[in-house]
Amino acid sequence: MIHRSEITPIGQFLKPHGIKGEISAQLDIDISGLEELSCIICDMEGIPVPFFIASFRPKGSETALLTIDGVTDESEAATFSGKTIYARSSEIQDDTDTDGMYVSDMEGFSIIDQNGDNIGTISDIDDSTANILFIVSAPDGKTIYVPAAEDLITNLDLTERTISMALPEGLLDT
């Protein structure tokens, strides 16, 4: 049995997405942290009930599309709409050491490559796939797609609004 003292709210279900049981969720934790959870917990008729995540994918910086094990259609997913999502408190990582930035917060930042050259300014974010991309407007008017991978970022200067990156060879070749 799960006791309320053992769980922490991590978000809320929004509405079904499509007809195959997927549901959107607003999350207060890093979306990638979902894969670390043994289950999510929802209050069902006053009882905390565990559910297993079959799959998830980011929809934005704070939203994800979840498929819950056993939920296979839109009407089943709709029963979760508006419900608070909980996780076991022991499974939630303490993110107090992070700067709290999301990729979407980086629009308007300039990208500087490993040679110190200004590649351009982030004009938009493409988060339609698992590999998020910065859409960069180059000084010459071209559009460049740069992976928003944390391991490529060497420095983030919030004051200057610049992101220094070690870009893979050939990425900027057209």
Side-chain angles (χ1 to χ4, degrees), residues 141-158:
K142 292 182 182 176
T143 299
I144 303 168
Y145 296 89
V146 176
E150 188 174 346
D151 58 332
L152 297 178
I153 298 174
T154 57
N155 188 42
L156 179 63
D157 188 328
L158 300 176

Side-chain angles (χ1 to χ4, degrees), residues 132-143:
I132 298 172
L133 300 171
F134 292 130
I135 300 174
V136 180
S137 297
D140 63 3
K142 292 182 182 176
T143 299

Side-chain angles (χ1 to χ4, degrees), residues 36-107:
E36 305 298 322
L37 301 177
S38 61
C39 64
I40 55 172
I41 300 152
C42 288
D43 192 334
M44 304 302 267
E45 299 178 16
I47 300 169
V49 178
F51 293 93
F52 302 100
I53 299 172
S55 67
F56 71 91
R57 58 190 172 113
K59 184 177 179 190
S61 61
E62 298 175 356
T63 57
L65 297 174
L66 304 176
T67 304
I68 298 171
D69 216 12
V71 175
T72 58
D73 64 39
E74 183 179 8
S75 64
E76 290 174 343
T79 64
F80 290 89
S81 293
K83 292 194 179 291
T84 300
I85 305 167
Y86 298 90
R88 294 182 188 274
S89 301
S90 60
E91 294 180 353
I92 299 173
Q93 294 182 358
D94 182 10
D95 290 333
T96 55
D97 62 335
T98 65
D99 58 14
M101 283 199 68
Y102 294 99
V103 173
S104 59
D105 297 329
M106 297 179 189
E107 282 187 43

